[in-house]
Amino acid sequence: MNFKDQIQQIFGTTDIHELKQISRDADNYRCLNADMNNSSISEKKKNTGRKNSFTEEQLAHILALQNRGEKITDIARQYHVSRQTIYSQIKRAYNFSDDPDVKMRMNFMNHDDLCTTIDIDFRHEKIKIKNYTDQIIFRAFGVVTDPDWADFEYFLEERCFPRTRDHRKDILREMGLPFYDPLLIVEKTQGRMSDDHQWIMILKKEG
């Protein structure tokens, strides 16, 4: 087989103009492919970087959406990331402290917005807080920036029905609680009250 026959077999033509067009088409295809690959790599880098760039407010917002029944797929779409990324961020949210004595975090929320985080050390009866809003009325402890255990106990009870409420025992029975305990009540009710839109998201450390 001579060279001309080989060209005919490979490209289906020996016409010089058609061969030049095939060459141009091949170059365009390579350029398009390169652009798509670069775009894909950039998107992967963007998404990879985002995995570790979620703020505490965003983590709390994701959990709040999940709490009210939003599907992980819809949450992922809202944040322009994969479902796997959302799952990994939810897992990250439950590993909220390096302190081995801090086993629980409370996110004090207003609607879906994080207002205050409260890291709780029950063993030593200590808490550590961080506020995420400048609006005092929405903060868990108002103007108090370094609350003690007594402040924490008062905060919990403020998010419960009163101890002196009529039919208290009936209410506790309906909740499945043996006695009045603000923490246990808040775990059941999320600290929701009828006169505001604030509530308590409880996170218990994994492991």
Side-chain angles (χ1 to χ4, degrees):
M1 184 182 291
N2 60 34
F3 183 65
K4 187 174 182 180
D5 290 337
Q6 288 178 339
I7 292 176
Q8 176 69 40
Q9 186 177 26
I10 294 171
F11 296 105
T13 183
T14 57
D15 183 86
I16 187 65
H17 298 294
E18 292 181 358
L19 289 172
K20 286 182 177 179
Q21 185 61 49
I22 290 171
S23 177
R24 286 193 292 270
D25 290 344
D27 284 339
N28 290 337
Y29 177 79
R30 282 195 297 270
C31 290
L32 178 61
N33 238 11
D35 289 342
M36 289 177 66
N37 286 337
N38 288 336
S39 175
S40 177
I41 290 170
S42 297
E43 187 64 25
K44 285 180 180 177
K45 285 182 178 179
K46 178 182 176 182
N47 288 343
T48 299
R50 186 66 182 274
K51 286 181 182 179
N52 294 319
S53 64
F54 280 93
T55 64
E56 293 296 337
E57 293 102 317
Q58 288 172 323
L59 289 178
H61 182 250
I62 289 169
L63 292 172
L65 294 177
Q66 185 188 34
N67 178 78
R68 71 166 187 240
E70 291 275 353
K71 295 179 179 178
I72 295 297
T73 300
D74 294 333
I75 299 173
R77 188 178 297 114
Q78 181 173 331
Y79 279 90
H80 307 290
V81 296
S82 67
R83 292 169 68 252
Q84 183 179 1
T85 296
I86 294 298
Y87 279 122
S88 69
Q89 291 305 305
I90 290 172
K91 183 176 181 180
R92 175 186 157 212
Y94 283 86
N95 292 288
F96 44 78
S97 174
D98 294 327
D99 187 337
D101 291 322
V102 174
K103 305 291 187 182
M104 180 184 288
R105 165 173 286 184
M106 291 185 178
N107 287 336
F108 190 51
M109 311 289 292
N110 184 52
H111 293 287
D112 293 335
D113 299 323
L114 178 63
C115 297
T116 305
T117 56
I118 310 168
D119 287 348
I120 309 158
D121 175 358
F122 288 101
R123 180 182 177 188
H124 301 101
E125 296 190 344
K126 292 181 179 178
I127 62 170
K128 182 178 180 180
I129 74 163
K130 183 174 181 180
N131 291 311
Y132 291 87
T133 176
D134 293 329
Q135 299 185 62
I136 301 299
I137 191 173
F138 293 137
R139 293 180 176 183
F141 300 94
V143 297
V144 180
T145 57
D146 188 22
D148 58 20
W149 194 254
D151 293 319
F152 175 60
E153 290 180 320
Y154 180 78
F155 162 74
L156 288 181
E157 191 154 345
E158 282 287 286
R159 304 306 300 183
C160 299
F161 65 87
R163 287 179 182 269
T164 56
R165 183 168 176 174
D166 292 339
H167 310 295
R168 179 186 64 179
K169 290 183 179 180
D170 294 332
I171 297 171
L172 292 172
R173 190 180 302 112
E174 289 177 6
M175 289 183 176
L177 299 177
F179 50 83
Y180 187 97
D181 181 288
L183 177 59
L184 295 179
I185 294 171
V186 164
E187 286 184 326
K188 294 284 187 178
T189 66
Q190 296 184 321
R192 295 182 185 272
M193 309 295 286
S194 60
D195 55 349
D196 63 31
H197 299 288
Q198 294 191 275
W199 58 286
I200 299 169
M201 177 193 299
I202 296 180
L203 308 179
K204 296 182 180 180
K205 191 182 292 181
E206 296 181 344

Short mmCIF file of all heavy atoms in Angstrom, two decimals, residues 22-50:
data_model
loop_
_atom_site.label_atom_id
_atom_site.label_comp_id
_atom_site.label_asym_id
_atom_site.label_seq_id
_atom_site.Cartn_x
_atom_site.Cartn_y
_atom_site.Cartn_z
N ILE A 22 -9.79 18.83 8.17
CA ILE A 22 -9.69 17.81 9.23
C ILE A 22 -8.66 18.21 10.26
O ILE A 22 -8.86 18.06 11.47
CB ILE A 22 -9.35 16.44 8.61
CG1 ILE A 22 -10.54 15.92 7.80
CG2 ILE A 22 -8.95 15.44 9.68
CD1 ILE A 22 -10.23 14.68 6.98
N SER A 23 -7.54 18.77 9.79
CA SER A 23 -6.47 19.21 10.70
C SER A 23 -6.95 20.35 11.59
O SER A 23 -6.71 20.37 12.80
CB SER A 23 -5.26 19.66 9.89
OG SER A 23 -4.24 20.15 10.76
N ARG A 24 -7.69 21.32 10.97
CA ARG A 24 -8.21 22.44 11.77
C ARG A 24 -9.23 21.96 12.80
O ARG A 24 -9.24 22.41 13.95
CB ARG A 24 -8.85 23.48 10.84
CG ARG A 24 -7.84 24.33 10.07
CD ARG A 24 -8.52 25.53 9.42
NE ARG A 24 -9.42 25.12 8.36
CZ ARG A 24 -9.06 24.98 7.08
NH1 ARG A 24 -7.80 25.21 6.71
NH2 ARG A 24 -9.94 24.63 6.17
N ASP A 25 -10.10 21.03 12.37
CA ASP A 25 -11.09 20.48 13.30
C ASP A 25 -10.43 19.77 14.47
O ASP A 25 -10.88 19.87 15.61
CB ASP A 25 -12.02 19.50 12.56
CG ASP A 25 -12.95 20.21 11.59
OD1 ASP A 25 -13.09 21.44 11.70
OD2 ASP A 25 -13.51 19.51 10.72
N ALA A 26 -9.34 19.06 14.19
CA ALA A 26 -8.61 18.34 15.24
C ALA A 26 -7.99 19.31 16.23
O ALA A 26 -8.02 19.10 17.44
CB ALA A 26 -7.54 17.44 14.62
N ASP A 27 -7.44 20.43 15.70
CA ASP A 27 -6.85 21.44 16.59
C ASP A 27 -7.90 22.07 17.48
O ASP A 27 -7.69 22.29 18.68
CB ASP A 27 -6.15 22.53 15.75
CG ASP A 27 -4.82 22.07 15.18
OD1 ASP A 27 -4.26 21.10 15.74
OD2 ASP A 27 -4.36 22.66 14.18
N ASN A 28 -9.06 22.39 16.87
CA ASN A 28 -10.16 22.98 17.66
C ASN A 28 -10.63 22.03 18.75
O ASN A 28 -10.93 22.44 19.87
CB ASN A 28 -11.34 23.33 16.75
CG ASN A 28 -11.02 24.51 15.84
OD1 ASN A 28 -10.15 25.31 16.16
ND2 ASN A 28 -11.71 24.59 14.71
N TYR A 29 -10.71 20.76 18.44
CA TYR A 29 -11.15 19.75 19.41
C TYR A 29 -10.17 19.67 20.58
O TYR A 29 -10.58 19.61 21.74
CB TYR A 29 -11.27 18.40 18.72
CG TYR A 29 -11.66 17.27 19.65
CD1 TYR A 29 -12.98 17.10 20.06
CD2 TYR A 29 -10.69 16.40 20.16
CE1 TYR A 29 -13.34 16.09 20.93
CE2 TYR A 29 -11.05 15.37 21.02
CZ TYR A 29 -12.36 15.21 21.40
OH TYR A 29 -12.71 14.20 22.26
N ARG A 30 -8.86 19.71 20.26
CA ARG A 30 -7.84 19.64 21.32
C ARG A 30 -7.94 20.87 22.23
O ARG A 30 -7.84 20.77 23.45
CB ARG A 30 -6.45 19.55 20.72
CG ARG A 30 -6.08 18.16 20.20
CD ARG A 30 -4.58 18.04 19.96
NE ARG A 30 -4.13 18.96 18.91
CZ ARG A 30 -4.10 18.64 17.62
NH1 ARG A 30 -4.49 17.45 17.22
NH2 ARG A 30 -3.67 19.52 16.73
N CYS A 31 -8.15 22.03 21.62
CA CYS A 31 -8.27 23.26 22.43
C CYS A 31 -9.50 23.21 23.33
O CYS A 31 -9.44 23.59 24.50
CB CYS A 31 -8.35 24.49 21.51
SG CYS A 31 -6.80 24.86 20.67
N LEU A 32 -10.62 22.75 22.75
CA LEU A 32 -11.86 22.65 23.52
C LEU A 32 -11.70 21.67 24.69
O LEU A 32 -12.12 21.94 25.81
CB LEU A 32 -13.00 22.20 22.61
CG LEU A 32 -14.37 22.00 23.28
CD1 LEU A 32 -14.85 23.32 23.88
CD2 LEU A 32 -15.39 21.48 22.28
N ASN A 33 -11.05 20.56 24.39
CA ASN A 33 -10.81 19.56 25.43
C ASN A 33 -9.95 20.12 26.54
O ASN A 33 -10.18 19.88 27.73
CB ASN A 33 -10.11 18.34 24.81
CG ASN A 33 -10.91 17.08 25.03
OD1 ASN A 33 -12.06 17.14 25.45
ND2 ASN A 33 -10.31 15.94 24.74
N ALA A 34 -8.90 20.87 26.15
CA ALA A 34 -7.99 21.45 27.14
C ALA A 34 -8.73 22.44 28.02
O ALA A 34 -8.57 22.47 29.24
CB ALA A 34 -6.82 22.13 26.44
N ASP A 35 -9.61 23.27 27.40
CA ASP A 35 -10.38 24.25 28.18
C ASP A 35 -11.31 23.56 29.17
O ASP A 35 -11.45 23.98 30.32
CB ASP A 35 -11.20 25.14 27.25
CG ASP A 35 -10.33 26.11 26.46
OD1 ASP A 35 -9.18 26.32 26.88
OD2 ASP A 35 -10.81 26.62 25.43
N MET A 36 -11.95 22.49 28.70
CA MET A 36 -12.87 21.76 29.58
C MET A 36 -12.14 21.11 30.73
O MET A 36 -12.60 21.14 31.87
CB MET A 36 -13.62 20.70 28.76
CG MET A 36 -14.63 21.27 27.78
SD MET A 36 -15.42 19.99 26.78
CE MET A 36 -16.32 19.11 28.04
N ASN A 37 -10.97 20.56 30.45
CA ASN A 37 -10.17 19.92 31.51
C ASN A 37 -9.70 20.95 32.52
O ASN A 37 -9.73 20.72 33.73
CB ASN A 37 -8.97 19.19 30.92
CG ASN A 37 -9.37 17.91 30.22
OD1 ASN A 37 -10.42 17.35 30.52
ND2 ASN A 37 -8.56 17.45 29.27
N ASN A 38 -9.25 22.12 32.02
CA ASN A 38 -8.79 23.17 32.94
C ASN A 38 -9.94 23.68 33.79
O ASN A 38 -9.78 23.95 34.98
CB ASN A 38 -8.19 24.34 32.14
CG ASN A 38 -6.85 23.99 31.53
OD1 ASN A 38 -6.16 23.09 32.03
ND2 ASN A 38 -6.47 24.67 30.45
N SER A 39 -11.13 23.82 33.16
CA SER A 39 -12.31 24.26 33.89
C SER A 39 -12.69 23.25 34.97
O SER A 39 -13.03 23.62 36.09
CB SER A 39 -13.47 24.46 32.93
OG SER A 39 -14.64 24.78 33.63
N SER A 40 -12.61 21.97 34.61
CA SER A 40 -12.94 20.91 35.56
C SER A 40 -11.99 20.90 36.73
O SER A 40 -12.38 20.76 37.89
CB SER A 40 -12.92 19.55 34.86
OG SER A 40 -13.16 18.52 35.77
N ILE A 41 -10.69 21.10 36.43
CA ILE A 41 -9.67 21.12 37.49
C ILE A 41 -9.91 22.31 38.42
O ILE A 41 -9.83 22.21 39.64
CB ILE A 41 -8.26 21.19 36.88
CG1 ILE A 41 -7.94 19.86 36.20
CG2 ILE A 41 -7.22 21.50 37.95
CD1 ILE A 41 -6.68 19.89 35.36
N SER A 42 -10.23 23.48 37.80
CA SER A 42 -10.48 24.69 38.61
C SER A 42 -11.68 24.49 39.51
O SER A 42 -11.67 24.88 40.68
CB SER A 42 -10.73 25.89 37.69
OG SER A 42 -9.58 26.17 36.93
N GLU A 43 -12.74 23.84 38.98
CA GLU A 43 -13.94 23.60 39.77
C GLU A 43 -13.64 22.65 40.91
O GLU A 43 -14.11 22.84 42.03
CB GLU A 43 -15.04 23.03 38.87
CG GLU A 43 -16.38 22.91 39.54
CD GLU A 43 -16.96 24.24 39.96
OE1 GLU A 43 -16.60 25.26 39.33
OE2 GLU A 43 -17.76 24.27 40.90
N LYS A 44 -12.83 21.63 40.62
CA LYS A 44 -12.46 20.68 41.68
C LYS A 44 -11.66 21.36 42.77
O LYS A 44 -11.86 21.13 43.95
CB LYS A 44 -11.65 19.52 41.09
CG LYS A 44 -12.49 18.53 40.30
CD LYS A 44 -11.64 17.41 39.73
CE LYS A 44 -12.48 16.42 38.95
NZ LYS A 44 -11.65 15.35 38.33
N LYS A 45 -10.75 22.24 42.35
CA LYS A 45 -9.96 22.97 43.34
C LYS A 45 -10.85 23.88 44.16
O LYS A 45 -10.68 24.01 45.37
CB LYS A 45 -8.88 23.81 42.62
CG LYS A 45 -7.71 22.98 42.10
CD LYS A 45 -6.67 23.86 41.46
CE LYS A 45 -5.47 23.06 40.98
NZ LYS A 45 -4.45 23.93 40.34
N LYS A 46 -11.81 24.52 43.45
CA LYS A 46 -12.74 25.40 44.16
C LYS A 46 -13.53 24.64 45.20
O LYS A 46 -13.66 25.06 46.34
CB LYS A 46 -13.67 26.05 43.13
CG LYS A 46 -14.73 26.95 43.73
CD LYS A 46 -15.63 27.49 42.64
CE LYS A 46 -16.76 28.32 43.22
NZ LYS A 46 -17.67 28.81 42.19
N ASN A 47 -14.09 23.49 44.78
CA ASN A 47 -14.90 22.68 45.70
C ASN A 47 -14.06 22.10 46.82
O ASN A 47 -14.49 22.00 47.96
CB ASN A 47 -15.60 21.56 44.94
CG ASN A 47 -16.74 22.09 44.08
OD1 ASN A 47 -17.19 23.22 44.28
ND2 ASN A 47 -17.19 21.31 43.12
N THR A 48 -12.82 21.71 46.46
CA THR A 48 -11.95 21.14 47.49
C THR A 48 -11.61 22.19 48.54
O THR A 48 -11.61 21.93 49.73
CB THR A 48 -10.65 20.61 46.85
OG1 THR A 48 -11.00 19.59 45.91
CG2 THR A 48 -9.73 20.01 47.91
N GLY A 49 -11.34 23.43 48.04
CA GLY A 49 -11.02 24.48 49.00
C GLY A 49 -12.21 24.79 49.88
O GLY A 49 -12.07 25.08 51.05
N ARG A 50 -13.43 24.70 49.32
CA ARG A 50 -14.63 25.04 50.06
C ARG A 50 -14.88 24.07 51.21
O ARG A 50 -15.48 24.44 52.22
CB ARG A 50 -15.82 25.04 49.10
CG ARG A 50 -17.13 25.51 49.71
CD ARG A 50 -17.05 26.97 50.08
NE ARG A 50 -18.27 27.41 50.70
CZ ARG A 50 -19.34 27.85 50.03
NH1 ARG A 50 -19.33 27.86 48.71
NH2 ARG A 50 -20.41 28.25 50.66
#
